[in-house]
Amino acid sequence: ITTRVLECNEISISNSSLVVRDRISCAGKMVVNGMLILPGNTTQEEVKALGATGEGLILVGTKAYDTKGTPVEGATIYLTDGYDLSDEGFIWDSATCTLTLTGFTRDYVSENINTAGIFISAPGKAVTLVLNGENNLTGLESMNYGIAVQEASLTLTGGGSLNCTDSGGALFVLGGSLELAEGCELQDGKKIVGAGGAFYIVESDGVNYATSFSLKMQQYSVTVTTDGNGTAMANPASAAKGDTVTLTATPNPGYVFDRWEVSPATVTIGSDNTFTMPGSAVEIKAHFKQAEYKVTLNTNGGTVNAGDVTGYVYGEGAKPVSYTHLRAHE
């Protein structure tokens, strides 16, 4: 059950879950034997002030408490779609419903887990899971999933892995779709399977649930050439869609950088010489031009008769002028 605001005289939560997104107020007895999920900005003092009893869990963001408000280690991380939550190697962006795991490690106490190590509930939203590096959820058992998503579509992306040893499966989506982002590939022959309104990842045999999987982003090349009057390079020389690429141009003596010529033309190079990689290869040509130098004439009391020189191009020099009592300085 999910509600935005809950005001009651008495409440009892058995083996189910109650999600309160904004505020809870109970004037009388509160018994929690299931899970009570509170807003991510709820403090430990506010949890204690509820005066709850029972053997269940009170979940707040990445924290879990017993009914007395004492922290419980290794309990479920429960995410709601309305609050900013964070933990080491774990970032939840509520604005975009994006969960990013970067070297995230958590050892769970199995008897404290309800459904999954990380449970995401974002009804009707589009959730994105980004995996960077190696992420490990240990201590799970066959009745638990590593990550479970309910009533939301999930898109997988990134170049990392998710390892959920001894779990029932690394990933489970119920009531929504599961797909890979453009350019993202499952490794080791594993695949996405859907049946009965549920989606999950299976081993290469197409049958057994995968308790771990790895992702790899397709790389696209960046080819840089020049007009011969300097050198140029891209860093990195290949990148995945959405990555930032930095360009560097070094002119030959007597030349300065002029402009970039890029294909496809939809790619925009910023003033800092960076661009965002599209989902295709990119070809770039660096153009240079001859350096121009400014010339200032000091007449020292004289006058210039004709042909005032204001500058010259490297290698060509300046044209002489006729003058009366003229001294020129470059």
Side-chain angles (χ1 to χ4, degrees):
I1 300 174
T2 300
T3 182
R4 190 158 294 281
V5 177
L6 177 64
E7 295 182 351
C8 59
N9 293 322
E10 182 176 321
I11 186 170
S12 177
I13 304 171
S14 55
N15 293 321
S16 58
S17 299
L18 173 62
V19 180
V20 180
R21 299 195 183 282
D22 289 345
R23 179 172 55 85
I24 183 172
S25 175
C26 185
K29 184 170 63 173
M30 179 181 295
V31 181
V32 180
N33 286 309
M35 289 198 307
L36 172 62
I37 298 95
L38 299 180
N41 56 2
T42 304
T43 65
Q44 183 179 1
E45 289 69 28
E46 289 172 325
V47 174
K48 291 180 178 179
L50 293 174
T53 61
E55 303 299 324
L57 288 174
I58 299 177
L59 306 178
V60 179
T62 62
K63 308 296 182 183
Y65 304 93
D66 61 19
T67 53
K68 296 179 181 179
T70 303
V72 176
E73 297 299 328
T76 304
I77 297 175
Y78 189 98
L79 306 181
T80 61
D81 60 311
Y83 305 94
D84 291 328
L85 310 169
S86 65
D87 204 348
E88 187 175 350
F90 171 104
I91 299 175
W92 171 249
D93 185 336
S94 62
T96 60
C97 286
T98 299
L99 172 61
T100 302
L101 299 182
T102 306
F104 178 72
T105 298
R106 194 172 180 92
D107 190 14
Y108 293 87
V109 178
S110 60
E111 58 264 28
N112 290 335
I113 304 302
N114 187 313
T115 306
I118 299 177
F119 190 91
I120 303 175
S121 178
K125 298 294 184 69
V127 178
T128 300
L129 173 60
V130 184
L131 296 179
N132 297 318
E134 186 176 314
N135 302 280
N136 298 288
L137 309 184
T138 58
L140 300 169
E141 295 184 352
S142 59
M143 71 287 294
N144 308 136
Y145 295 100
I147 299 178
V149 179
Q150 179 177 279
E151 299 181 64
S153 61
L154 178 66
T155 300
L156 287 173
T157 189
S161 63
L162 179 64
N163 309 305
C164 306
T165 307
D166 299 325
S167 69
L171 184 63
F172 181 77
V173 178
L174 179 63
S177 61
L178 173 61
E179 60 184 21
L180 298 169
E182 181 182 351
C184 184
E185 301 173 348
L186 272 169
Q187 301 299 290
D188 305 318
K190 296 178 183 181
K191 60 191 72 175
I192 295 173
V193 172
F199 289 84
Y200 38 87
I201 295 177
V202 297
E203 297 288 352
S204 57
D205 60 11
V207 177
N208 294 308
Y209 291 117
T211 58
S212 66
F213 64 88
S214 298
L215 301 175
K216 183 178 180 180
M217 294 299 295
Q218 183 176 349
Q219 301 289 302
Y220 302 96
S221 63
V222 182
T223 303
V224 181
T225 59
T226 74
D227 61 5
N229 297 311
T231 60
M233 62 176 294
N235 185 27
S238 62
K241 180 180 179 181
D243 287 352
T244 298
V245 178
T246 301
L247 300 172
T248 303
T250 304
N252 289 339
Y255 287 83
V256 294
F257 175 74
D258 183 21
R259 61 187 173 85
W260 298 108
E261 180 184 349
V262 59
S263 176
T266 52
V267 173
T268 301
I269 299 176
S271 58
D272 59 352
N273 289 326
T274 66
F275 67 91
T276 301
M277 194 69 186
S280 63
V282 175
E283 295 182 358
I284 298 173
K285 185 175 183 178
H287 290 267
F288 302 88
K289 62 182 180 180
Q290 289 181 297
E292 296 182 0
Y293 299 90
K294 182 179 179 181
V295 172
T296 301
L297 297 178
N298 183 352
T299 63
N300 196 25
T303 59
V304 176
N305 294 332
D308 188 6
V309 177
T310 59
Y312 69 90
V313 176
Y314 179 86
E316 294 182 3
K319 296 179 180 179
V321 299
S322 61
Y323 62 91
T324 303
H325 303 299
L326 173 66
R327 183 171 64 201
H329 298 277
E330 179 184 326

